[in-house]
Amino acid sequence: MLKKFLLAVATMVFTMGFAFAQVEVNKADQAALDGVKGIGPKMSKTILDARKKGGDFKDWSDFEDRVKGVGQKNAVRLSDAGLTVNGQPRQKAAASADKDNKKAKSEKKEGKKDEAKK
């Protein structure tokens, strides 16, 4: 009984390592890319085609520009799921700054509406 329990725990720990493993976009094959949450067969093919056509991705910005369907928000999600570009995770600061800019614009519009009412 104890052996079965220890085997179950060891298996769980081992599989958790795979769940949080980093996948390098410039070295991964289709199966590895499909293993990243948020990347399916269609997107992995798009990534591989872009890499084949234009060479390795230089950074996250290059990845976002060349892979159709990947914007800042999606890039942050993929990075959180374990995808890296040149060994680097996506910096969340750019996505947060974009969100702050949208919020500021919205507040500015509301301020103009309030002034127009007066």
Side-chain angles (χ1 to χ4, degrees):
M1 178 75 174
L2 182 60
K3 288 182 181 180
K4 287 182 181 180
F5 177 72
L6 290 176
L7 180 62
V9 170
T11 302
M12 186 176 73
V13 170
F14 183 70
T15 56
M16 284 176 56
F18 283 122
F20 298 110
Q22 299 292 310
V23 176
E24 173 55 44
V25 74
N26 288 322
K27 295 179 179 142
D29 60 5
Q30 187 162 5
L33 290 170
D34 285 345
V36 176
K37 183 179 179 184
I39 297 180
K42 185 177 179 180
M43 182 173 285
S44 63
K45 184 176 179 347
T46 303
I47 291 169
L48 292 174
D49 290 345
R51 189 173 76 191
K52 186 176 182 180
K53 183 179 177 184
D56 286 353
F57 299 102
K58 295 175 186 77
D59 53 25
W60 277 97
S61 177
D62 183 35
F63 178 74
E64 292 169 22
D65 290 343
R66 290 172 41 199
V67 179
K68 184 178 178 181
V70 178
Q72 286 184 347
K73 287 181 181 180
N74 199 5
V76 170
R77 282 189 216 116
L78 294 174
S79 178
D80 289 345
L83 191 68
T84 62
V85 176
N86 287 328
Q88 299 296 315
R90 173 73 162 83
Q91 298 298 319
K92 295 179 185 179
S96 296
D98 186 44
K99 195 182 280 187
D100 291 343
N101 287 339
K102 287 181 182 178
K103 185 178 177 182
K105 287 179 183 178
S106 175
E107 289 172 354
K108 190 174 182 179
K109 285 181 183 178
E110 288 178 18
K112 287 182 180 179
K113 287 180 185 176
D114 289 342
E115 287 178 19
K117 289 181 182 178
K118 291 180 184 178

